[in-house]
Amino acid sequence: MSGHNRWDKFMIVVTGATGNVGRPLVQALAAAGERVTAVSRGVSGVAVPEGVRHRQGDLAAPESLRPVLNGADVVFLHDGGAGAHLVNPWGILDVAKAGGVRRVVLLSSQGVVTRPQSPSHGGTGRSIEDAIMRSGMDWTVLRPGGFDSNAFAWAETVRAQRTAAAPFADTGLPVIDPADIGEVAAAAIREDGHAGRVYELTGPVLSTPRQRAEAIGDALGEPIRFIEQTRDEARAQMLRFMPEPVVETTLDILGRPTPAEQRISSDVEQVLGRPPRTFAEWAIRNIAAFR
């Protein structure tokens, strides 16, 4: 597949295209001259690179994807925040196959293997992976850990008070820049040699919430005061926008990570030929959100 040019019929569909991973993936594919259809649940105010088609679709409603997937060769699957528990993977795969799709790249989660008892990770997440792997199509599965972009949750308090609050201040995890995930996805889509592969995607080092707040302060040129929350305080805050089982699993990962969740993977460097970006690099690139 790596020998095609932009004028042939090769078409890539990116679901969750406005998210933290989908956006840099669409940009990487467009910059490489690929024919891309960006799919999101909403259409208002969505900006896509020049030459990219934008269409509405919802992974929770596979039939909504039929006109989008018809004639496509590759699909990047991500629920775009719809909630993995609402996704019907077999329905999506049936529509994709009917449209001619031959390759699927799935954004999954490290928790599928590190938290097998979790209903959201080991349950729903594993069932989606299993469907992809048994689909008869070429597949690649991406399993990232925590995202650098989770720090956007601090943007409001950093802007207003120069404070950042989080639990487990000094517990480190190898969080990853979503742009690196997007670039690995672009490679899996555009290049041969990635079919049947599972990539564990992490950043280059362990970083703690306190260190990440410091990095944002360094990028701002002003100190950020870090406030360590109790687990109960963090739970109450997270329950406003996440289901309770997901909150409990997330707090377990943040506070009592397994050795696998703290292991630094070489997969980003193996695929991209360079080390993953640091959190400090992410903070500098996204500092406008915190000013």
Side-chain angles (χ1 to χ4, degrees), residues 35-89:
R35 295 174 59 213
V36 183
T37 299
V39 179
S40 62
R41 284 178 297 152
V43 288
S44 60
V46 174
V48 295
E50 185 178 351
V52 173
R53 294 192 313 165
H54 181 252
R55 297 289 184 268
Q56 193 167 13
D58 188 344
L59 292 194
E63 282 302 315
S64 73
L65 300 173
R66 196 173 290 278
V68 176
L69 291 173
N70 191 35
D73 298 280
V74 187
V75 61
F76 174 78
L77 285 184
H78 175 43
D79 63 35
H85 62 290
L86 299 174
V87 171
N88 169 10

Side-chain angles (χ1 to χ4, degrees), residues 8 22 32 101 103 115 130 201 267:
D8 64 16
V101 173
R103 177 179 290 192
R115 300 286 166 170
D130 287 347
L201 304 181
D267 286 357

Side-chain angles (χ1 to χ4, degrees), residues 13-33:
V13 171
V14 176
T15 64
T18 58
N20 288 318
V21 174
R23 191 179 297 112
L25 170 56
V26 169
Q27 290 167 346
L29 293 171

Side-chain angles (χ1 to χ4, degrees), residues 109-174:
S109 167
Q110 187 184 60
V112 166
V113 286
T114 64
R115 300 286 166 170
Q117 307 308 316
S118 160
S120 58
H121 293 81
T124 302
R126 171 62 82 180
S127 69
I128 294 172
E129 282 195 11
D130 287 347
I132 299 297
M133 292 175 179
R134 289 159 49 197
S135 66
M137 305 159 79
D138 282 350
W139 56 264
T140 307
V141 171
L142 311 182
R143 289 183 187 151
F147 287 16
D148 290 352
S149 53
N150 291 343
F152 280 136
W154 291 335
E156 192 175 332
T157 60
V158 169
R159 286 196 304 266
Q161 302 150 6
R162 294 296 189 249
T163 63
F168 316 116
D170 300 304
T171 302
L173 288 167

